[in-house]
Amino acid sequence: MRLGINLGYWGLGMDADNIAVAQEADRLGYSVCWAAEAYGSDAATVLSFVAAKTERIDVGSAIFQIPARTPAMTAMTAATLDTLSGGRFRLGLGVSGPQVSEGWYGVRFDKPLARTREYVEIIRKAMSRERLVHEGANWTLPLPGGPGKPIKLTVHPVREHIPLYIAAIGPKNLELTGEIADGWLGIFFSPEHASLSLDALTAGRAKAGRTLDGFDLCPTVNIAVGEDVEAAVDGLRSYAALYIGGMGSKEKNFYNQLTRRMGYERAADEIQEKYLAKDYAGAAAAVPHDLIDATSLIGDTARIADRMQAYADAGVTTLTLAPSGFTLEERVQALRTGVEALERAGLA
C-alpha cells in the first residue's frame, strides 16, 4: 500500500507550510500529493507550484470540479501539468455539489452521472490527440452551422495515459467510477464498511470487463498522532460535522447519506439539524466517536499501524493522509508517523 498526502485548500494561512509539507512528503517517498478546490483557490495553479518545488512525488487534483471547466479545457490543463511536472500528474474529477455548481458556476446540477460519463469521454478523446469530434447531450464539438472545425491537442503529455480518478460517494456514481476511471478518490472510508463502496466499484469494473486489479483505491483519511485518542477524536469533530451537516442542502448532502448507510441515521439527523441551525458546537458534539475513529488514523504509531493494516486488508492501494495539526511541526510529524506505521505494519 502506498501513501499520499492531501494539502486540502490553499489560502487558509498555511501556504508556505503546505510547500514544506509537500517537500517532506517527497523526501519521505510518498506517492502522490493532492490539492483540492471549492470556491477559493483553484487546484491547477497550486499543483503547478507544488510540482515546481518537488522532484519525485506525483501531483494530483482532488478534485477538478466538472462544472468549472469545459472538458477540452481540462484536457489542456492535464496535458500541461503532466508536461511541466515531467510526467507526474494525476487527474481527479468530481461533480461538486448543487450549491457550488449552481451558485458559483451557474451550471445546473442535473443528470450528474451522464455529464460525468460524457466529460470523461471527451477528455480521453482530446488526450489521445485525435481530432476532437463529439455529439452528446451536454457538448457538441465542433458546434454545428458555424466556423468551428475539428482540431486536436497540440501539447504532447509525457505519458501516453494520464491516470484519471473520480471522487464518488453514492452507489451509482461509484459504479460509474469503476466502469470509466483508473482510480477512486474516497472520503469517510471505513474498512469495516468497505462493501458500501467496493461492491459498487466492483460492479462498475465488471461492466467494463475488468476487475479491481490495477484500479487505484485511494481514500483520504485524517491522521491525528498522540496518546490521547479521545482528545484526537474531539479535534476532528468540527471537520466531520461540516461535511455531514453542512455540505449541500438538507435534501442533498452526499456525506450525510453516506453516514446513514454506515448505520448512523439518528446521528446524521441530529448533526444536520444542529449544523443548519448554526449550532456548530452542538453538531460537532453529536458526531459519534466510533464514526470518527473508524474513518481516521488516530493514536500512537502502533495503533495507526493496526488501522493501516485494516485499510490494506480492505483493498486500499493508496492511503492519502490529511494531517489534523495546524502547525508545520505537527503536520510533518504526522507524515513521518505515517511512514513509520506503514513499515511497522509490513506494508511498505
Side-chain angles (χ1 to χ4, degrees), residues 37-38 62-69 92-102 105 107-120 139 165-170 173 176-177 180 185 252 254-255:
E37 64 182 19
I63 54 168
F64 283 166
Q65 296 174 100
I66 285 175
R69 303 169 180 82
L93 302 170
V95 293
S96 189
Q99 289 184 324
V100 173
S101 183
E102 298 192 10
Y105 296 116
V107 176
R108 289 292 178 197
F109 193 79
D110 58 346
K111 300 180 180 178
L113 297 181
R115 183 181 293 271
T116 299
R117 181 185 292 277
E118 193 174 342
Y119 198 89
V120 170
W139 294 275
Y165 294 70
I166 295 176
I169 297 174
N173 199 12
L176 177 67
T177 298
I180 68 175
L185 299 174
K252 189 165 288 187
F254 306 121
Y255 310 97

Side-chain angles (χ1 to χ4, degrees), residues 6 32 34-35 60-64 90-94 164-169 173-174 177 181-189 197 201 215-220 318 320:
N6 196 321
V32 59
W34 303 96
S61 56
I63 54 168
F64 283 166
R90 304 187 193 184
L91 174 59
L93 302 170
L164 189 150
Y165 294 70
I166 295 176
I169 297 174
N173 199 12
L174 285 162
T177 298
D182 303 306
W184 168 62
L185 299 174
I187 189 171
F188 292 114
F189 179 81
S197 303
L201 288 166
F215 186 82
D216 195 10
L217 296 170
C218 184
T220 290
T318 301
T320 297

Side-chain angles (χ1 to χ4, degrees), residues 169-171 174 189 193-201 258 261-263:
I169 297 174
L174 285 162
F189 179 81
H193 297 90
S195 62
L196 292 176
S197 303
L198 300 193
D199 287 356
L201 288 166
L258 173 61
R261 290 195 296 273
M262 293 172 70

Side-chain angles (χ1 to χ4, degrees), residues 56-269:
R56 296 170 299 277
I57 194 169
D58 281 5
V59 293
S61 56
I63 54 168
F64 283 166
Q65 296 174 100
I66 285 175
R69 303 169 180 82
T70 67
M73 182 69 238
T74 296
M76 290 167 59
T77 303
T80 304
L81 280 167
D82 196 58
T83 302
L84 291 175
S85 65
R88 292 188 284 141
F89 179 64
R90 304 187 193 184
L91 174 59
L93 302 170
V95 293
S96 189
Q99 289 184 324
V100 173
S101 183
E102 298 192 10
W104 186 247
Y105 296 116
V107 176
R108 289 292 178 197
F109 193 79
D110 58 346
K111 300 180 180 178
L113 297 181
R115 183 181 293 271
T116 299
R117 181 185 292 277
E118 193 174 342
Y119 198 89
V120 170
E121 183 180 341
I122 296 171
I123 287 174
R124 293 214 190 275
K125 285 182 181 178
M127 296 289 286
S128 71
R129 301 191 68 251
E130 64 179 85
R131 294 196 178 274
L132 191 53
V133 177
H134 178 85
E135 186 172 344
N138 298 285
W139 294 275
T140 299
L141 301 165
L143 286 175
K149 61 181 182 180
I151 53 180
K152 64 181 180 180
L153 185 69
T154 61
V155 175
H156 291 255
V158 174
R159 291 166 297 170
E160 289 293 325
H161 182 85
I162 293 175
L164 189 150
Y165 294 70
I166 295 176
I169 297 174
K172 291 182 180 179
N173 199 12
L174 285 162
E175 187 172 321
L176 177 67
T177 298
E179 181 184 353
I180 68 175
D182 303 306
W184 168 62
L185 299 174
I187 189 171
F188 292 114
F189 179 81
S190 162
E192 291 73 25
H193 297 90
S195 62
L196 292 176
S197 303
L198 300 193
D199 287 356
L201 288 166
T202 300
R205 297 299 286 170
K207 277 188 174 182
R210 300 172 182 171
T211 69
L212 286 176
D213 289 343
F215 186 82
D216 195 10
L217 296 170
C218 184
T220 290
V221 299
N222 289 308
I223 177 170
V225 180
E227 299 292 335
D228 190 338
V229 172
E230 190 61 46
V233 167
D234 287 343
L236 295 172
R237 289 184 181 278
S238 294
Y239 169 87
L242 167 63
Y243 280 83
I244 298 168
M247 286 287 192
S249 64
K250 183 175 178 58
E251 296 74 25
K252 189 165 288 187
N253 179 322
F254 306 121
Y255 310 97
N256 189 280
Q257 292 164 7
L258 173 61
T259 303
R260 293 173 183 278
R261 290 195 296 273
M262 293 172 70
Y264 297 97
E265 294 91 346
R266 292 180 62 184
D269 281 338

Side-chain angles (χ1 to χ4, degrees), residues 1 189-195 198 217 219 221 293-298 301-319 341-342 344-347:
M1 187 170 69
F189 179 81
S190 162
E192 291 73 25
H193 297 90
S195 62
L198 300 193
L217 296 170
V221 299
D293 197 18
T295 57
S296 310
L297 298 173
I298 297 173
T301 303
R303 192 173 193 273
I304 289 173
D306 286 343
R307 289 304 291 166
M308 282 188 171
Q309 183 65 63
Y311 276 95
D313 290 345
V316 171
T317 47
T318 301
L319 189 64
L342 193 75
R344 183 178 183 127
L347 300 170

